[in-house]
Amino acid sequence: MSSARRLRGHDRIVVKIGSALLVEKGSLKREWLQALVDDVVSLAESGSEMLIVSSGSIALGRGILGLPSGPLKLEDSQAAASVGQIALAQAYSEALAGHGKKAGQILLTLGDTEERRRYLNARATIGTLLRMGAVPIVNENDTVATSEIRYGDNDRLAARVATMASADCLVLLSDIDGLYTAPPADNPDAIFLPEVPRITREIESMAGSAGSELSRGGMKTKIEAGKIATSAGTSMVITSGKALNPLKRLDEGARCTWFPALASPASARKAWIGGHLELKGEIHLDQGAVKALLSGKSLLPAGVTRVDGQFGRGDAVTLRGPDGGLIGRGLIAYDQSEAVLIAGRNSREIETIVGYPGRAEMIHRDDLAVEDALLA
Ligand code: GLU
């Protein structure tokens, strides 16, 4: 039953906030935001790393610019997002500052989470912000996103951010408290579902497509988000964000629908790296590097004896031992031309060789999938 599940205790939680919760008649609901931030800080203090994906820039900018209600042209909504995003980020920054916490703004487009080079950069920045104790505040970069490169809804963006950050929990705060067998407003017989163990076709058909004027995402995009999240090792929960302190309420047993993860974030990521990517090159390792990898360490350039193939930063490559045996696969942090130059060298020399302070690891341990047979 869902009541047994809590937010508290998760390692890394992404909270997605819809425009309708945060903005009313073009103005920010400050009291609601402060209460939400109180909940976020309380979870952070109990040991969870917290990220926020917040909508609201267009709704807020529309109010600030005095634009009429109703659908906006793309350029107008981009201009509204541009004005609104400053106000939005400032509001989070101020609310967090009340608790002595810092906010870091991250604006993403679809390509940033799909193209592996940019994906590695965004993932690294999110990791660094969290290590520094700052709360990443993420939104779509609406001002530059055209229809081909935009998510258009923050439910899916939040799911991508959660999987990119290897979060183990994604909370979608909505204007509805979870998933019903039919839209409850039109159907008195609709049954509430506290847990969805697997997103089947039947579940997808229950989701329909409704959405309010402010939030693009209806239940349909939430189910899409659930598919992305659960298959990458992130559990998802949908609950109502209407009342103050929705995260606290959730942990106190408020109604919600849980979508449990199908694996852990680490094993799902290893499966992704190990299974589905086109391999662009081969990196040959000395015995020391093989030993380091088998004990869970990153691959440093010093242990690389040869680099074959044509690849760019973020591409997947095969790793082979001194006898040519398969050791595993990984996402490489350097372009082929640089990897060749730093192979066999000490990480301290990287800056002199490539001309900028590159990463110490050629492949970070989070981006490695070592052959299971070797680990047994
Ligand atoms: N990125 C948009 C905004 O901040 C909202 C998209 C959504 O609500 O799903 O206004």
Side-chain angles (χ1 to χ4, degrees), residues 19 54-59 139-140 142 152-154 214-217:
S19 303
S54 181
S55 308
S57 68
I58 298 174
N139 196 358
E140 182 155 22
D142 291 304
D153 71 84
N154 276 11
L214 282 179
S215 60
R216 285 170 173 275

Side-chain angles (χ1 to χ4, degrees), residues 112-120 123 160 163-166 228 231-233 263-279 314-317 329-332 366-369:
D112 299 323
T113 60
E114 289 201 332
E115 192 194 303
R116 280 197 296 282
R117 168 186 293 258
R118 287 191 271 161
Y119 172 98
L120 281 191
R123 179 178 159 85
R160 286 276 181 224
T163 64
M164 187 161 75
S166 300
I228 297 169
S231 63
S264 76
S267 63
R269 189 167 165 79
K270 297 240 152 164
W272 176 64
I273 293 169
H276 307 293
L277 304 174
E278 190 191 343
L279 296 159
D315 278 340
V317 294
R329 292 158 185 214
L331 304 183
I332 193 152
D366 294 346
D367 300 325
L368 276 167

Side-chain angles (χ1 to χ4, degrees), residues 130-146:
L130 292 172
R131 268 196 304 284
M132 292 174 169
V135 180
I137 309 291
V138 187
N139 196 358
E140 182 155 22
N141 194 348
D142 291 304
T143 52
V144 298
T146 55

Side-chain angles (χ1 to χ4, degrees), residues 242-270:
K242 280 185 180 163
L244 296 185
N245 299 105
L247 303 178
K248 184 161 167 268
R249 281 167 188 273
L250 184 58
D251 266 355
E252 288 169 356
R255 188 173 251 212
C256 62
T257 301
W258 279 94
F259 299 74
L262 304 176
S264 76
S267 63
R269 189 167 165 79
K270 297 240 152 164

Side-chain angles (χ1 to χ4, degrees), residues 16-20 23 53-61 77 80-81 84-85 88 108 138-142 150-157 214-218 221-222:
K16 185 262 169 176
I17 296 157
S19 303
V23 183
V53 173
S54 181
S55 308
S57 68
I58 298 174
L60 209 52
S77 60
Q85 183 62 34
L88 189 65
L108 297 171
V138 187
N139 196 358
E140 182 155 22
N141 194 348
D142 291 304
R150 78 189 302 255
Y151 277 98
D153 71 84
N154 276 11
D155 293 324
R156 274 175 302 184
L157 173 68
L214 282 179
S215 60
R216 285 170 173 275
T221 61
K222 291 181 175 45

